[in-house]
Amino acid sequence: WALCGDERAPKRVKDWIDQLTMLSETTLPHLRPGLDIFAAQVVAWRQHQISKMKELETPAEHIPRDDLSAIFSAAQNCSDSLGEIIGKIERHTNTRDVNSYTTMFTNVIQAWGAASISAVPLSSESDPLAPSRGVNQILKTIHLLESIAALPDRTFFDDDVNELQSIEIEQSREHKAFLFECLGEVFAEALEQLRQIDTSVREKKVSDETRPGKSFFLENVFEVEKMLRYYESQSRIVLTQDDPTSFDIGRCCELYKKVLRGCMGVTCSHDYGHVVRISSSIMDFVSWRNDQFLTSEAKRAQTNDITDLYCDIACLVGKVVLNHHEKQMALTEVFNRASQFFNQSHGEKTSSAFATVDKAALIGAIRLAVEGSFDDATTESFIGLFDSPERHPKRRTKSSRRSGKPQ
């Protein structure tokens, strides 16, 4: 019922959940629904919305208002179901439950993203079916998840709590790690939906009379930064509790790339300061993780390749920074920040066992970033600065990193 998309499905799912709950409170306590069962209610409304949109099979600008209202109504029911579930269910600390959290929140965000994209031709912000309503609901859903993550850790047992204190500590630690994974996936989905809404705006050439190049992503850039910094703070809690080598930088990079992809929608030159600030923050976060790894005594079996991340930042800077001098400064900063991850020389290991950046690939990205901005002579002179022998990084060891002195 949850996956069929039928208009009767949400009610049938709720009926089954109510029956299981009733039975569990009488003679069959083992039938008490878990969070994964409750999550089916949200999934049912999202699948119904998808089914409704497939039935229309018309361009968004031709969707009848009644049908558009039904799409928004399904998204609202997703949100209402999520709120009801969160109000009922105590916090869960096992993997399956955190996966259920992720399922519920991503489905709600996707539902509001779909509603907003369907409504993009409507330009009136006061219209209840305007895209801005969906954007606001996406951010509201993110705030709800953050409030859950901020709750004090609780673990419920039927036995004597004193006998299970050590188990509580371990489960609390496990919960933070799994919840951190949930934050990453849900935040990434929210950023992707904002980007897709902006893409739809550009494709349908919708603009704000007071500000051409309308971008919901940039209008909510401070919310984006808040998500990024909150995720960073949670990841640092996890990282300080566990072996640094067990931390998956790949998960972080996926979120960072979603942020950078959203920033690519910037079309107004006066917004470039936000983009440069966000890019700088991302590079700060990666450097902090590298510092943590170098000051530990652990060894990583495999080095992460984060070349794409720095290439994306270089391309983004080249697109949004129009002043030639400022562009050169910003790109030079990207190169310098990446240099800690370059190979010492061909065939030798990197200066960091935590991650690696392909120097040649980054120089290629920088070349593309300045293409068309300078004449050929200036471009070659600028690129030559990065390929000179003097720009090869000095390797920093654990001891030199602790002392702050170069080796």
Side-chain angles (χ1 to χ4, degrees):
W1 278 111
L3 299 176
C4 71
D6 189 88
E7 62 181 359
R8 298 170 296 165
K11 184 179 184 304
R12 294 299 294 129
V13 169
K14 187 176 186 305
D15 288 345
W16 278 109
I17 292 174
D18 289 344
Q19 289 184 55
L20 287 170
T21 302
M22 180 182 67
L23 289 170
S24 69
E25 292 174 350
T26 54
T27 58
L28 301 170
H30 63 282
L31 292 183
R32 181 177 182 271
L35 189 58
D36 53 340
I37 299 298
F38 281 99
Q41 185 78 57
V42 178
V43 173
W45 278 114
R46 169 61 177 147
Q47 292 300 314
H48 172 59
Q49 183 195 51
I50 292 172
S51 178
K52 182 67 176 177
M53 295 175 70
K54 286 181 178 178
E55 287 175 7
L56 298 174
E57 292 184 347
T58 56
E61 48 265 32
H62 298 126
I63 294 179
R65 188 171 179 83
D66 287 347
D67 291 327
L68 187 61
S69 178
I71 293 172
F72 269 79
S73 178
Q76 185 61 59
N77 283 321
C78 282
S79 286
D80 292 345
S81 297
L82 176 63
E84 183 180 349
I85 293 167
I86 296 301
K88 285 181 178 179
I89 302 297
E90 297 288 4
R91 296 184 69 194
H92 294 259
T93 56
N94 61 51
T95 310
R96 183 184 64 177
D97 289 330
V98 172
N99 288 338
S100 298
Y101 271 120
T102 304
T103 297
M104 290 190 296
F105 278 90
T106 54
N107 272 274
V108 171
I109 288 170
Q110 289 168 356
W112 283 114
S116 295
I117 291 172
S118 299
V120 160
L122 298 177
S123 58
S124 174
E125 295 296 319
S126 60
D127 193 313
L129 303 182
S132 57
R133 178 188 171 194
V135 172
N136 291 334
Q137 288 294 328
I138 288 174
L139 297 176
K140 184 178 179 181
T141 304
I142 290 297
H143 296 160
L144 175 60
L145 178 59
E146 290 174 345
S147 69
I148 293 172
L151 288 173
D153 291 320
R154 295 175 294 169
T155 308
F156 298 92
F157 297 103
D158 294 329
D159 301 318
D160 186 353
V161 174
N162 293 328
E163 297 178 4
L164 295 164
Q165 189 174 29
S166 61
I167 299 177
E168 283 189 329
I169 294 172
E170 180 60 29
Q171 289 197 343
S172 174
R173 179 178 177 179
E174 182 179 300
H175 173 77
K176 284 187 175 71
F178 286 133
L179 187 56
F180 163 65
E181 294 180 15
C182 175
L183 286 172
E185 289 191 40
V186 175
F187 285 1
E189 186 60 47
L191 295 169
E192 178 63 16
Q193 291 301 319
L194 291 178
R195 186 195 67 80
Q196 289 185 20
I197 295 169
D198 280 354
T199 298
S200 183
V201 168
R202 289 193 299 273
E203 289 176 349
K204 294 167 184 175
K205 299 180 179 179
V206 179
S207 63
D208 189 322
E209 294 179 358
T210 62
R211 182 177 179 180
K214 182 178 180 64
S215 168
F216 288 105
F217 190 97
L218 266 297
E219 286 179 5
N220 294 282
V221 67
F222 295 112
E223 289 287 349
V224 171
E225 286 190 87
K226 180 183 174 184
M227 272 188 266
L228 191 59
R229 294 185 182 280
Y230 187 84
Y231 178 81
E232 177 66 15
S233 67
Q234 294 299 307
S235 69
R236 292 190 180 191
I237 291 174
V238 175
L239 186 57
T240 54
Q241 289 179 339
D242 296 322
D243 178 356
T245 61
S246 66
F247 189 82
D248 183 9
I249 185 64
R251 187 184 301 115
C252 295
C253 285
E254 284 303 310
L255 179 62
Y256 299 157
K257 288 177 182 179
K258 296 286 187 183
V259 174
L260 296 173
R261 287 184 69 188
C263 289
M264 286 297 289
V266 174
T267 56
C268 298
S269 59
H270 57 262
D271 284 327
Y272 89 87
H274 299 310
V275 175
V276 173
R277 185 177 65 252
I278 289 174
S279 298
S280 181
S281 294
I282 289 174
M283 291 188 290
D284 285 342
F285 298 156
V286 176
S287 294
W288 183 87
R289 286 179 171 80
N290 185 48
D291 289 346
Q292 290 296 112
F293 181 83
L294 290 178
T295 55
S296 73
E297 298 300 328
K299 294 182 180 180
R300 181 184 290 275
Q302 184 176 3
T303 302
N304 301 283
D305 188 341
I306 56 174
T307 303
D308 288 349
L309 181 65
Y310 282 89
C311 288
D312 287 349
I313 293 174
C315 291
L316 181 58
V317 167
K319 178 180 183 293
V320 302
V321 181
L322 301 183
N323 181 279
H324 293 177
H325 178 65
E326 292 177 349
K327 182 178 292 189
Q328 285 182 326
M329 291 179 60
L331 289 171
T332 300
E333 177 68 10
V334 174
F335 183 90
N336 290 339
R337 299 289 292 277
S339 64
Q340 62 188 308
F341 304 114
F342 292 160
N343 289 334
Q344 294 300 305
S345 62
H346 295 295
E348 293 184 10
K349 63 180 181 179
T350 61
S351 56
S352 169
F354 171 70
T356 182
V357 172
D358 187 317
K359 181 182 177 183
L362 180 57
I363 292 176
I366 293 175
R367 181 183 290 277
L368 288 175
V370 300
E371 194 173 62
S373 299
F374 313 132
D375 57 50
D376 290 344
T378 303
T379 298
E380 292 305 319
S381 176
F382 179 58
I383 296 298
L385 295 174
F386 304 124
D387 211 20
S388 62
E390 292 78 12
R391 296 307 293 265
H392 284 288
K394 294 180 178 179
R395 185 179 182 188
R396 300 183 72 181
T397 63
K398 295 176 183 177
S399 58
S400 65
R401 179 68 62 143
R402 292 192 189 101
S403 64
K405 299 177 182 180
Q407 182 75 359

